[in-house]
Amino acid sequence: MNKPPILQIGPYPQWDQEPLDAAFQVHRYFEAADKGKLLAEVGPSIRGIATRGELGANRAMIEACPKLEVISVYGVGFDAVDLQACRERGIRVTNTPDVLTNDVADLGIAMMLCLSRGMIGAETWVRDGSWAQKGLYPLKRRVWGRRAGVLGLGRIGFEVAKRLKGFDMQIAYSDVEAKSYASDMTFVADPVELATQSDFLFVTLAASAATRHIVGHKVIEALGPEGMLINISRASNIDEEALLDALETGKLGSAALDVFEGEPKLNPRFLALNNVLLQPHHASGTVETRKAMGKLVRDNLAAHFAGQALPTPVL
């Protein structure tokens, strides 16, 4: 049986690459020295695209593949896929939700604890001899019993809130509407008001054109000079210029970030700050979750080409 030809946009771990190569005729876009030439050569035959959340598939790529039927995203975010182009062509789109939810929530909580308690600096304090030479590490701020806001109470936001309850925190959230499954949390419709009521603000909402820079200067300044912003969603949900300005001037206390505009080449202004925790977009980065994500990418492709229902459709 002929293997369906697919275009692979970015690399996957070897444990995913081998079964992908076994099931499909894979053209590796990311390895091509001349990507335009590759698209011109193989685009007319491509029936599927396997991509990653941050890489997506833009309109030009989609239009270069006239036989394209399905795009399978390795990741929960699909904002980098041109959904309008897919709708126009009847192209199916899938992602990998649920399997990464708990790991992403775990990292969000870990980032809050790490930054609030100064753990990176504290380890350096031990390693560089400061503990022996200078004495006790400077005091930091507690987490338990304080106020937490969750912006976007979807799968990941709900798991973050569940974990925050273990710290006896006062928990509020914003979403498009109040959620019936969150009756023990306070619903605050306005993100600015949510920030006003929060010591820690977790950004966990899905990214779209409507949410671009939803965390702008008003939200950031409402969070204030004692507040902490934690982003485990997408970089586009935050106005980075407003965030950097607030961090540099002290209008915002601190930020813990796993995603950045233009990553991995983040704005160098971040590197000069000592009130940020910087992570390399690895909230889902556990062996267990990444294996589950890779399998779901392949399962969605296989289901489509077999004429079966897609396990996790977006379109």
Coordinates of all heavy atoms in Angstrom, one line a residue, residues 132-174:
A132 N 28.6 30.9 52.8 CA 29.6 30.8 53.8 C 30.3 32.2 54.1 O 30.6 32.5 55.3 CB 30.7 29.8 53.3
Q133 N 30.3 33.0 53.1 CA 31.0 34.3 53.2 C 30.1 35.4 53.7 O 30.5 36.3 54.5 CB 31.6 34.7 51.9 CG 32.7 33.8 51.4 CD 33.1 34.1 50.0 OE1 32.7 35.1 49.4 NE2 33.8 33.2 49.4
K134 N 28.8 35.4 53.3 CA 27.9 36.5 53.6 C 26.8 36.1 54.5 O 26.0 37.0 55.0 CB 27.3 37.0 52.2 CG 28.3 37.5 51.2 CD 27.7 37.9 49.9 CE 28.7 38.3 48.9 NZ 28.0 38.7 47.6
G135 N 26.6 34.8 54.7 CA 25.5 34.4 55.6 C 24.2 34.1 54.9 O 24.2 33.7 53.8
L136 N 23.1 34.3 55.6 CA 21.8 33.9 55.1 C 21.4 34.6 53.8 O 21.7 35.8 53.6 CB 20.7 34.1 56.2 CG 20.9 33.4 57.5 CD1 19.8 33.7 58.4 CD2 20.9 31.9 57.2
Y137 N 20.7 33.9 53.0 CA 20.2 34.4 51.7 C 19.1 35.4 52.0 O 18.3 35.3 52.9 CB 19.6 33.2 50.9 CG 19.2 33.6 49.5 CD1 20.1 34.1 48.5 CD2 17.9 33.4 49.1 CE1 19.7 34.4 47.3 CE2 17.5 33.6 47.8 CZ 18.4 34.1 46.9 OH 18.0 34.4 45.6
P138 N 19.0 36.5 51.2 CA 17.9 37.5 51.4 C 16.5 36.9 51.4 O 16.2 36.0 50.7 CB 18.1 38.5 50.2 CG 19.5 38.3 49.9 CD 19.9 36.9 50.1
L139 N 15.7 37.4 52.3 CA 14.3 36.9 52.4 C 13.5 37.1 51.2 O 13.6 38.2 50.5 CB 13.6 37.6 53.6 CG 14.2 37.4 55.0 CD1 13.5 38.1 56.1 CD2 14.3 35.9 55.3
K140 N 12.6 36.2 50.9 CA 11.7 36.2 49.7 C 10.3 36.3 50.2 O 10.0 36.5 51.3 CB 12.0 35.1 48.8 CG 13.4 35.1 48.2 CD 13.8 36.4 47.5 CE 15.2 36.4 47.0 NZ 15.5 37.7 46.3
R141 N 9.3 36.0 49.2 CA 7.9 36.1 49.6 C 7.2 34.8 49.6 O 7.5 33.9 48.8 CB 7.2 37.0 48.5 CG 7.7 38.5 48.5 CD 7.5 39.2 49.8 NE 6.1 39.2 50.2 CZ 5.3 40.2 49.9 NH1 5.7 41.2 49.1 NH2 4.1 40.2 50.3
R142 N 6.3 34.6 50.5 CA 5.5 33.4 50.6 C 4.5 33.2 49.5 O 4.2 34.2 48.8 CB 4.8 33.3 51.9 CG 3.6 34.2 52.0 CD 2.6 33.9 53.2 NE 3.4 33.8 54.5 CZ 2.8 34.0 55.7 NH1 1.6 34.5 55.8 NH2 3.5 33.8 56.8
V143 N 4.1 32.0 49.3 CA 3.1 31.7 48.3 C 1.7 31.4 48.9 O 0.7 31.9 48.6 CB 3.5 30.5 47.4 CG1 2.4 30.0 46.5 CG2 4.7 31.0 46.5
W144 N 1.8 30.5 50.0 CA 0.5 30.0 50.5 C -0.3 31.1 51.1 O 0.2 32.1 51.6 CB 0.8 28.9 51.6 CG 1.4 29.5 52.9 CD1 2.7 29.6 53.2 CD2 0.7 30.0 54.0 NE1 3.0 30.1 54.4 CE2 1.7 30.4 54.9 CE3 -0.6 30.2 54.3 CZ2 1.4 31.0 56.2 CZ3 -0.9 30.8 55.6 CH2 0.1 31.2 56.5
G145 N -1.7 31.0 51.0 CA -2.6 31.9 51.6 C -2.8 33.2 50.8 O -3.6 34.1 51.2
R146 N -2.1 33.4 49.7 CA -2.2 34.6 49.0 C -3.2 34.5 47.8 O -4.0 33.5 47.8 CB -0.8 35.1 48.4 CG 0.2 35.3 49.6 CD 1.5 35.7 49.1 NE 1.5 37.0 48.5 CZ 2.6 37.5 47.8 NH1 3.6 36.8 47.5 NH2 2.5 38.8 47.4
R147 N -3.3 35.5 47.0 CA -4.4 35.6 46.0 C -3.9 35.2 44.6 O -2.9 35.7 44.2 CB -5.0 37.0 45.9 CG -5.5 37.6 47.3 CD -5.8 39.0 47.2 NE -4.7 39.8 46.7 CZ -4.8 41.0 46.2 NH1 -6.0 41.6 46.1 NH2 -3.7 41.7 45.7
A148 N -4.6 34.3 44.0 CA -4.2 33.9 42.6 C -5.3 34.2 41.6 O -6.5 33.9 41.9 CB -3.8 32.4 42.6
G149 N -4.9 34.6 40.4 CA -5.9 34.8 39.3 C -5.5 33.9 38.2 O -4.3 33.7 37.9
V150 N -6.5 33.3 37.5 CA -6.2 32.4 36.4 C -7.0 33.0 35.2 O -8.2 33.1 35.2 CB -6.7 31.0 36.7 CG1 -6.4 30.1 35.5 CG2 -6.1 30.4 37.9
L151 N -6.2 33.5 34.2 CA -6.8 34.1 33.0 C -7.0 33.0 32.0 O -6.0 32.6 31.3 CB -5.9 35.2 32.5 CG -6.4 36.0 31.3 CD1 -7.8 36.5 31.5 CD2 -5.4 37.1 31.0
G152 N -8.2 32.5 31.9 CA -8.5 31.4 30.9 C -8.7 30.1 31.7 O -7.7 29.4 32.0
L153 N -9.9 29.7 32.0 CA -10.1 28.5 32.8 C -10.5 27.3 31.9 O -11.6 26.7 32.1 CB -11.2 28.7 33.9 CG -11.1 27.8 35.1 CD1 -9.9 28.1 35.9 CD2 -12.4 27.8 36.0
G154 N -9.6 27.0 31.0 CA -9.8 25.8 30.2 C -9.2 24.6 30.8 O -9.0 24.6 32.1
R155 N -8.7 23.7 30.1 CA -8.1 22.5 30.6 C -6.9 22.8 31.5 O -6.9 22.4 32.7 CB -7.7 21.5 29.5 CG -8.8 20.9 28.7 CD -8.2 20.0 27.6 NE -9.2 19.4 26.7 CZ -9.6 19.9 25.6 NH1 -9.1 21.1 25.2 NH2 -10.5 19.3 24.8
I156 N -6.0 23.6 31.0 CA -4.8 23.9 31.7 C -5.1 24.8 32.9 O -4.6 24.6 34.0 CB -3.7 24.4 30.8 CG1 -3.2 23.4 29.8 CG2 -2.5 25.0 31.6 CD1 -2.4 23.9 28.7
G157 N -5.9 25.8 32.7 CA -6.2 26.8 33.7 C -6.9 26.1 34.9 O -6.6 26.4 36.1
F158 N -7.8 25.1 34.6 CA -8.5 24.4 35.7 C -7.5 23.6 36.5 O -7.6 23.5 37.7 CB -9.6 23.5 35.1 CG -10.4 22.8 36.1 CD1 -11.2 23.6 36.9 CD2 -10.3 21.5 36.3 CE1 -12.0 22.9 37.9 CE2 -11.1 20.8 37.2 CZ -11.9 21.6 38.0
E159 N -6.5 22.9 35.8 CA -5.5 22.1 36.5 C -4.6 23.0 37.4 O -4.2 22.6 38.5 CB -4.7 21.3 35.6 CG -5.5 20.1 35.0 CD -6.1 19.1 36.0 OE1 -5.4 18.9 37.0 OE2 -7.1 18.6 35.8
V160 N -4.3 24.2 36.9 CA -3.5 25.1 37.7 C -4.3 25.5 38.9 O -3.7 25.5 40.1 CB -3.2 26.4 36.9 CG1 -2.7 27.5 37.8 CG2 -2.1 26.1 35.8
A161 N -5.6 25.8 38.8 CA -6.4 26.2 39.9 C -6.5 25.1 40.9 O -6.5 25.3 42.1 CB -7.8 26.6 39.4
K162 N -6.6 23.8 40.5 CA -6.7 22.7 41.4 C -5.4 22.6 42.2 O -5.5 22.4 43.4 CB -6.8 21.4 40.6 CG -8.2 21.1 40.1 CD -8.3 19.8 39.2 CE -7.7 18.6 39.9 NZ -7.7 17.4 38.9
R163 N -4.3 22.9 41.6 CA -3.0 22.8 42.4 C -2.9 24.0 43.3 O -2.4 23.8 44.5 CB -1.9 22.8 41.4 CG -1.7 21.4 40.6 CD -1.0 21.6 39.3 NE -0.7 20.3 38.7 CZ -1.7 19.5 38.1 NH1 -3.0 19.9 38.1 NH2 -1.3 18.4 37.6
L164 N -3.4 25.1 42.9 CA -3.3 26.3 43.8 C -4.1 26.1 45.1 O -3.8 26.7 46.1 CB -3.8 27.6 43.1 CG -3.0 28.0 41.9 CD1 -3.7 29.1 41.1 CD2 -1.6 28.5 42.4
K165 N -5.2 25.3 45.0 CA -6.0 25.1 46.2 C -5.2 24.4 47.3 O -5.5 24.6 48.5 CB -7.2 24.2 45.8 CG -8.2 24.9 44.9 CD -9.3 23.9 44.5 CE -10.2 24.6 43.5 NZ -11.3 23.6 43.0
G166 N -4.2 23.7 46.9 CA -3.3 23.0 47.9 C -2.5 24.0 48.7 O -1.9 23.6 49.8
F167 N -2.4 25.2 48.2 CA -1.7 26.3 49.0 C -2.6 27.2 49.7 O -2.2 28.3 50.2 CB -0.8 27.1 48.0 CG 0.3 26.3 47.3 CD1 0.0 25.7 46.1 CD2 1.5 26.1 47.9 CE1 1.1 25.0 45.4 CE2 2.5 25.4 47.3 CZ 2.3 24.8 46.1
D168 N -3.9 26.8 49.9 CA -4.9 27.6 50.6 C -5.0 29.0 50.0 O -5.1 30.0 50.8 CB -4.6 27.6 52.1 CG -4.7 26.3 52.7 OD1 -5.6 25.5 52.3 OD2 -3.9 26.0 53.7
M169 N -4.9 29.1 48.7 CA -5.0 30.4 48.1 C -6.4 30.9 47.8 O -7.3 30.0 47.6 CB -4.1 30.4 46.8 CG -2.7 30.1 47.0 SD -1.7 30.1 45.5 CE -1.2 31.9 45.5
Q170 N -6.6 32.1 47.7 CA -7.9 32.7 47.3 C -7.8 32.7 45.7 O -6.9 33.4 45.2 CB -8.1 34.1 47.8 CG -8.1 34.2 49.3 CD -8.0 35.6 49.8 OE1 -8.9 36.4 49.4 NE2 -7.0 36.0 50.6
I171 N -8.7 32.0 45.1 CA -8.6 31.8 43.6 C -9.7 32.5 42.9 O -10.9 32.2 43.2 CB -8.5 30.3 43.3 CG1 -7.4 29.6 44.0 CG2 -8.3 30.1 41.8 CD1 -7.4 28.1 44.0
A172 N -9.4 33.3 41.9 CA -10.4 33.9 41.0 C -10.0 33.6 39.6 O -8.8 33.2 39.3 CB -10.5 35.4 41.2
Y173 N -10.9 33.8 38.6 CA -10.6 33.5 37.2 C -11.4 34.4 36.3 O -12.4 34.9 36.7 CB -10.8 32.0 36.9 CG -12.3 31.7 36.8 CD1 -13.0 31.6 35.6 CD2 -13.0 31.3 38.0 CE1 -14.3 31.3 35.5 CE2 -14.3 31.0 37.9 CZ -15.0 31.0 36.7 OH -16.3 30.6 36.6
S174 N -10.9 34.6 35.1 CA -11.6 35.2 34.0 C -11.7 34.3 32.8 O -10.8 33.5 32.5 CB -10.8 36.5 33.6 OG -11.0 37.6 34.5

